[in-house]
Amino acid sequence: MLKHKRALGGALTLVVAMGMAGSVLPATAAAATGAQSTVGKPARHTDEARLRALLHQLTTVDGAPGALAEVRDRHRSRVLTSGVADIESRTPVHRDSRFRIGSMTKTFTATMMLQLAGERRIDLDAPVERYLPGVVRGHGNHGRKITIRQMLQHTSGLPDFLAYLKPQDVVRDPMAHHDPRDLVKLALAHPPTFKPGTDWKYSNTGYLLAGMIIEKVTGRSYGEELQRRIVKPLHLHGTSFPGDDPAIPGPHPRGYAQPGPNAPLLDVTAVNPTVGGAAGGIISSGTDINRFMGALLGGKLLRPTQLKQMMTTRPTGGSDGRAYGLGLESKPLPGGGRYWGHTGDFLGYETAAGATFDGRQATVMVNLGPGASDAQSDDIQAAIETALS
């Protein structure tokens, strides 16, 4: 069943029942394979050693078969990998691997929405009803009461469709197509979680609606707009929105899920990603995500007014200092300052990315989701913060 793992965390993780159809594979503790360096000078030894140790922990103690970190600054980039892409063949993780990035998709979706706002084709403070008349209705939910801005910031009170998606429906047919309107209707069969604008709670439903607005306003599909507005201008060769295609193009690790502690790993690589859609359906690579985040913070994708709006945050209520803007979150760095990014979970995979205004970016990706505990998510976040500190 898809759900968000934490209040902020990312989001689209299929919680796999032990009886899920597919290959049942033995659990493995993978050994670190070391770093694969790219252009530039060597990183500071202490930072790279700490990052390498965290990747090793992800692929041993935490149980992920493989892990990848792509780290860059204004002068160099480097890729470190640990473990394996396939627990049967023991193939190492490819440096250009593509992963399902789950809720990292939201940052791409919000960027396109803000581009449309900058073009005056949408108004962030207009009600959803203006763009999707009659769509948000029922059980106390109404598109006249919810603004685009609230929807993008998770302050809309919209119920999250992932809270009501039946696990057996996904498990029974992982290749099934999920229409975003049907998923929205599933959510709207339940009352709002709060009055719009009065609180914060993560909801994937709002981002399905954002994808529908993009298509309505532009007259093109979400995937076409993603290519036109972000992928082609930034030359993101490993990024795609696959629609109904269950395959991951290009080099990629197999995706695994672990239903419980010491349970066998399940190969869940092939799944119809329409269950994520504009909230979590994109495929990308560490290199592409870092390039995207660098361009976003560098003002290459949004006008200054829209970038400022995207980065106008509100606290999420957690103890770690996180705050959420429009499809983008910020968090304090241990040594001072803040970084910007997002996290993402999808069946078989988990990703996190962060960037700073001084030109540093880091993306960490693993091919296990969900794992047996939250330790994996914690160590991914620690790796991001180590890389950016």
Side-chain angles (χ1 to χ4, degrees):
M1 176 73 192
L2 289 167
K3 71 170 185 178
H4 57 272
K5 291 176 67 175
R6 299 182 175 190
L8 180 59
L12 292 163
T13 300
L14 279 170
V15 179
V16 184
M18 284 297 291
M20 178 173 180
S23 302
V24 180
L25 302 173
T28 183
T33 61
Q36 302 179 37
S37 297
T38 59
V39 180
K41 302 175 183 178
R44 286 186 299 165
H45 175 73
T46 54
D47 290 345
E48 187 162 306
R50 168 68 173 154
L51 183 56
R52 192 189 302 274
L54 284 164
L55 293 185
H56 179 70
Q57 180 148 320
L58 283 164
T59 56
T60 52
V61 177
D62 297 343
L68 176 149
E70 211 265 8
V71 182
R72 62 177 58 197
D73 58 26
R74 297 185 190 279
H75 306 291
R76 60 179 179 263
S77 65
R78 64 193 190 276
V79 176
L80 292 83
T81 65
S82 181
V84 297
D86 184 324
I87 64 174
E88 289 191 330
S89 69
R90 312 299 296 170
T91 305
V93 177
H94 194 283
R95 58 170 296 108
D96 295 320
S97 291
R98 290 93 184 267
F99 290 69
R100 300 192 192 279
I101 66 170
S103 278
M104 268 297 305
T105 300
K106 290 180 175 65
T107 310
F108 288 81
T109 299
T111 298
M112 291 192 285
M113 290 288 283
L114 284 157
Q115 287 176 340
L116 291 170
E119 296 162 11
R120 299 187 177 182
R121 299 173 73 179
I122 65 169
D123 180 351
L124 293 178
D125 294 310
V128 176
E129 182 77 6
R130 178 185 297 181
Y131 305 99
L132 299 175
V135 173
V136 180
R137 299 281 177 86
H139 296 85
N141 301 286
H142 204 299
R144 287 201 304 263
K145 302 176 182 178
I146 298 168
T147 67
I148 302 296
R149 189 187 305 274
Q150 290 167 346
M151 197 174 66
L152 295 177
Q153 197 161 32
H154 300 299
T155 59
S156 67
L158 283 166
D160 190 347
F161 78 90
L162 291 182
Y164 307 105
L165 189 64
K166 295 179 181 178
Q168 59 266 31
D169 291 341
V170 179
V171 170
R172 188 179 300 116
D173 189 2
M175 300 302 156
H177 171 81
H178 295 269
D179 188 276
R181 286 181 178 265
D182 292 336
L183 295 175
V184 169
K185 287 179 181 178
L186 179 64
L188 298 181
H190 304 273
T193 54
F194 51 82
K195 182 180 177 181
T198 63
D199 205 346
W200 187 93
K201 188 173 183 180
Y202 199 93
S203 176
N204 291 282
T205 307
Y207 276 80
L208 294 182
L209 292 166
M212 293 164 64
I213 291 171
I214 290 169
E215 295 187 339
K216 180 75 175 289
V217 170
T218 66
R220 286 180 284 267
S221 72
Y222 178 94
E224 289 171 332
E225 282 299 288
L226 178 70
Q227 286 287 325
R228 191 172 76 88
R229 291 176 174 273
I230 297 176
V231 171
K232 287 185 178 179
L234 297 183
H235 306 288
L236 305 183
H237 303 298
T239 300
S240 62
F241 186 73
D244 281 282
D245 191 345
I248 300 175
H252 63 275
R254 302 202 67 79
Y256 299 95
Q258 189 172 28
N262 303 315
L265 297 184
L266 306 176
D267 187 328
V268 290
T269 309
V271 64
N272 187 319
T274 54
V275 73
I282 287 179
I283 291 168
S284 193
S285 67
T287 298
D288 278 8
I289 291 175
N290 283 344
R291 186 175 297 163
F292 165 69
M293 291 298 298
L296 181 61
L297 266 63
K300 296 179 181 178
L301 290 170
L302 295 176
R303 298 172 185 179
T305 297
Q306 280 67 51
L307 184 58
K308 182 179 179 180
Q309 290 176 320
M310 189 179 210
M311 303 180 81
T312 300
T313 62
R314 61 154 294 153
T316 64
S319 60
D320 59 1
R322 293 187 193 227
Y324 203 93
L326 306 184
L328 191 66
E329 66 182 11
S330 71
K331 188 182 177 190
L333 280 168
R338 299 185 75 86
Y339 70 96
W340 296 87
H342 213 286
T343 59
D345 308 292
F346 198 92
L347 180 63
Y349 302 93
E350 183 171 355
T351 298
T356 62
F357 274 107
D358 63 0
R360 290 172 289 161
Q361 302 100 40
T363 296
V364 177
M365 315 172 97
V366 301
N367 59 336
L368 178 66
S373 73
D374 280 340
Q376 173 173 288
S377 299
D378 293 338
D379 286 336
I380 289 173
Q381 286 297 320
I384 291 289
E385 291 169 10
T386 295
L388 294 177
S389 293

